[in-house]
Amino acid sequence: GFAINGAFNFAVVGSMAHGGLALGTSLLYATWFSLLFLQIRWKLGPLGGMEILGSCARIAAAAAICGAIVYEIRYAAAFGGIWLAVDAWAVAWAGQLGSSLSILIRLTVLGTLYLALFTAVCKLLRVSETSELIELVRNCFKKGGDSK
């Protein structure tokens, strides 16, 4: 694994700097996943690969849609008000407690908003795992943390 990671990182780090390290590591994990998936399929037989592939495609589409929306919210002048409002609220709320707390608040609020957006887009794209996850979370809150 180390040699493959090094090869991937060496191949992309020159043109992409530290982003290349992330891409190289991602390529490594994609390679390992593929090899392990093939090995388990060889031992167990068909695993519903087309269903898995379809689900992965819908999840990737949801991530792309959410990424585009977040990009627009963050960088487009028309939607910049949302980011600035959350930013101003976090700074005002954190007050004199320091910039680290302000950053943590911003990340928490915006991360929660992104999670809600991603969940909604996954529901619209009929990703079956989304309904299962929502039901699991509901059950955890209903029964005081017992997910069974």
Side-chain angles (χ1 to χ4, degrees):
F2 180 75
I4 295 171
N5 193 19
F8 282 144
N9 288 341
F10 184 75
V12 293
V13 76
S15 60
M16 300 179 69
H18 65 279
L21 290 174
L23 178 60
T25 303
S26 297
L27 290 171
L28 169 74
Y29 284 113
T31 302
W32 278 118
F33 170 79
S34 300
L35 292 173
L36 291 172
F37 185 81
L38 290 173
Q39 183 180 17
I40 214 167
R41 187 180 188 284
W42 179 70
K43 288 187 179 211
L44 299 179
L47 299 171
M50 292 309 289
E51 291 84 7
I52 293 171
L53 187 61
S55 185
C56 286
R58 285 191 298 279
I59 291 169
I65 291 167
C66 291
I69 291 170
V70 169
Y71 179 84
E72 286 298 317
I73 289 172
R74 178 65 178 100
Y75 294 106
F79 296 110
I82 295 170
W83 175 264
L84 296 176
V86 170
D87 196 37
W89 175 80
V91 170
W93 191 80
Q96 301 297 322
L97 297 176
S99 63
S100 295
L101 182 58
S102 174
I103 291 169
L104 178 64
I105 291 169
R106 282 182 275 190
L107 287 175
T108 302
V109 169
L110 294 172
T112 303
L113 291 174
Y114 180 82
L115 181 61
L117 173 67
F118 183 73
T119 303
V121 172
C122 282
K123 272 299 258 187
L124 288 173
L125 293 177
R126 289 183 231 134
V127 176
S128 62
E129 294 86 357
T130 306
S131 297
E132 295 169 14
L133 180 63
I134 291 170
E135 189 62 31
L136 182 68
V137 171
R138 276 189 192 141
N139 288 341
C140 285
F141 284 111
K142 263 191 225 176
K143 298 178 183 179
D146 184 22
S147 62
K148 293 183 180 180

